[in-house]
Amino acid sequence: TELEQGDTLIILAENISENDEIIGKFDNQLFDFFPINSVGKKVALLGIDAKKVPGDYSLSIFLSDELLIEKVIKVSKSDFYITKIIITPELEEKGFTASNISENISTKEAIIIYNIIKNYSPKAYFNQAFIYPLDGIVDVGAFGNIRKDNGVTIQHLGVDLDAIEGIPIYAINDGQVVFVEELTVFGKTIIIDHGLGIYSLYLHLSEFNVSEKELLSKGEIIGF
């Protein structure tokens, strides 16, 4: 019941019959449960926004419209690293500065992405564990980092993974492709809807290998 900004809360419900409808509410926002392999077990995944205001929030679970359990979830401030915004020579050649990168993200690309991921699919496309999008994982830019330069602040809401250009990128689980487009700052970008409000985003790709509305299986090569 004590979480930090950017954490994920996993809620496991057991002994749920097929006829019972179970649903949750966190901070007045509804969320769904999905069945897992074990009979009578359902799970909900609840992401805590990296920018959620610290404080106490109400979590309620309803079984067939009756209040089953109520908890107070305490969200604390995360101690995200503060780093410097790095403008590479390649970015400088294209006219990028910390200021116009921040402006482009906040006024254009973040809005485009938000308008995609605000859509909610009540069913889960997946029924297996998620996998990594690369064969080898080298984290070179952690989630939640706060990057600053000359009064400009950008919070990093992804994870930068080191990779050689041209290696395959895998779908991390079953889902439907809902976005395939090249953006100014984020580069070639793919978004997959896995259902239940869970999306995966793949940025800075060199090549696409999928199209919008395509249904994917976990592990399929979606790009490079």
Side-chain angles (χ1 to χ4, degrees):
T1 57
E2 294 189 10
L3 299 167
E4 292 185 350
Q5 295 165 321
D7 279 346
T8 302
L9 177 64
I10 301 173
I11 305 168
L12 175 64
E14 299 184 282
N15 303 315
I16 305 298
S17 73
E18 290 185 9
N19 297 325
D20 286 331
E21 182 185 8
I22 186 168
I23 197 167
K25 182 186 286 187
F26 176 71
D27 191 23
N28 291 319
Q29 184 171 358
L30 294 173
F31 60 88
D32 290 301
F33 286 73
F34 61 94
I36 55 178
N37 293 334
S38 302
V39 175
K41 287 187 178 182
K42 292 190 175 184
V43 170
L45 302 176
L46 185 62
I48 305 299
D49 197 309
K51 299 182 179 182
K52 192 157 192 72
V53 176
D56 292 338
Y57 294 92
S58 175
L59 172 72
S60 305
I61 309 295
F62 298 89
L63 187 65
S64 300
D65 293 329
E66 289 189 15
L67 181 62
L68 182 67
I69 194 169
E70 197 164 24
K71 294 277 187 181
V72 173
I73 303 296
K74 180 180 179 63
V75 177
S76 302
K77 190 177 187 303
S78 282
D79 188 20
F80 293 121
Y81 286 115
I82 297 177
T83 61
K84 181 176 173 59
I85 298 173
I86 303 297
I87 306 297
T88 64
E90 292 84 0
L91 291 175
E92 286 184 349
E93 285 180 13
K94 295 178 181 179
F96 283 116
T97 64
S99 179
N100 63 26
I101 287 174
S102 175
E103 182 180 1
N104 188 292
I105 290 173
S106 62
T107 63
K108 296 178 183 176
E109 301 191 4
I111 294 172
I112 291 170
I113 288 175
Y114 173 75
N115 284 332
I116 296 291
I117 65 174
K118 73 178 181 180
N119 298 304
Y120 184 83
S121 303
K123 69 167 187 174
Y125 287 98
F126 63 95
N127 60 6
Q128 303 174 64
F130 286 75
I131 61 171
Y132 286 127
L134 292 168
D135 287 322
I137 296 297
V138 180
D139 183 348
V140 292
F143 172 81
N145 277 1
I146 297 170
R147 300 171 174 178
K148 295 188 175 186
D149 182 54
N150 293 327
V152 176
T153 299
I154 302 172
Q155 186 164 21
H156 189 227
L157 298 179
V159 178
D160 287 332
L161 301 175
D162 191 41
I164 299 168
E165 186 173 344
I167 70 170
I169 309 295
Y170 308 112
I172 64 173
N173 216 328
D174 298 354
Q176 183 172 36
V177 180
V178 291
F179 187 81
V180 180
E181 194 171 316
E182 182 160 7
L183 301 175
T184 302
V185 175
F186 294 153
K188 287 183 170 65
T189 299
I190 295 171
I191 302 178
I192 300 175
D193 179 8
H194 301 287
L196 305 181
I198 302 170
Y199 288 82
S200 55
L201 287 71
Y202 312 77
L203 283 57
H204 311 301
L205 305 182
S206 63
E207 187 180 340
F208 294 129
N209 196 47
V210 291
S211 55
E212 284 186 24
K213 298 186 179 179
E214 189 174 342
L215 290 170
L216 298 174
S217 297
K218 180 173 78 170
E220 281 192 54
I221 296 174
I222 59 171
F224 301 88

